[in-house]
Amino acid sequence: QVQFLESGGGLVQAGGSLRLSCTVSGRTFRMYGMGWFRQTPGKERELVAAISATYDNTAYADSVKGRFTISRDNAKAVLYLQMNSLVPEDTAVYYCASGVFYFSADARQYTLFGQGIQVTVSS
């Protein structure tokens, strides 16, 4: 059974930074693309960053481009999201996600999700 365990969320002031981690078990991590989604109440879940199985391709939502960096450590089976210059609009529940693909920037292809972790940015 595939499991995603997110960590690193919390409360931060605007302009600050956080790094989210997602530890994956139950599958061969290095074979699959990964992504981070976020969701706020009343809105659809949004794909904010994606990375290919072997690090050679990434994609970002326009709203986070230049501020967020997605990365992964295939030896440790961990996905990261470094978030800098945070703004209150980044407040959301963040989800680690994947599917059955090498790389995808199409949110519809993601079928596996973690339980989510709260990120709150105060003004």
Side-chain angles (χ1 to χ4, degrees):
Q1 182 179 356
V2 181
Q3 291 188 327
F4 300 152
L5 182 60
E6 296 111 333
S7 61
L11 174 64
V12 63
Q13 287 190 333
S17 298
L18 281 176
R19 188 175 81 156
L20 303 182
S21 299
C22 173
T23 301
V24 180
S25 60
R27 70 177 346 198
T28 306
F29 180 76
R30 67 181 182 275
M31 291 180 62
Y32 301 100
M34 298 289 299
W36 287 99
F37 284 71
R38 68 184 180 187
Q39 188 172 27
T40 55
K43 292 189 176 181
E44 287 192 7
R45 202 150 40 182
E46 172 193 22
L47 177 61
V48 297
I51 188 167
S52 63
T54 54
Y55 316 91
D56 58 339
N57 203 356
T58 58
Y60 296 92
D62 288 343
S63 57
V64 307
K65 203 171 292 184
R67 300 187 299 119
F68 289 12
T69 302
I70 189 171
S71 62
R72 62 191 294 163
D73 185 334
N74 283 355
K76 296 181 179 179
V78 181
L79 176 73
Y80 301 101
L81 185 68
Q82 178 67 44
M83 305 185 292
N84 298 328
S85 302
L86 286 160
V87 297
E89 291 72 26
D90 294 319
T91 296
V93 176
Y94 284 73
Y95 298 87
C96 172
S98 188
V100 184
F101 46 73
Y102 175 82
F103 173 76
S104 179
D106 182 351
R108 297 168 296 181
Q109 293 193 2
Y110 286 78
T111 56
L112 301 172
F113 291 87
Q115 81 284 357
I117 191 163
Q118 179 70 44
V119 171
T120 303
V121 184
S122 63
S123 58

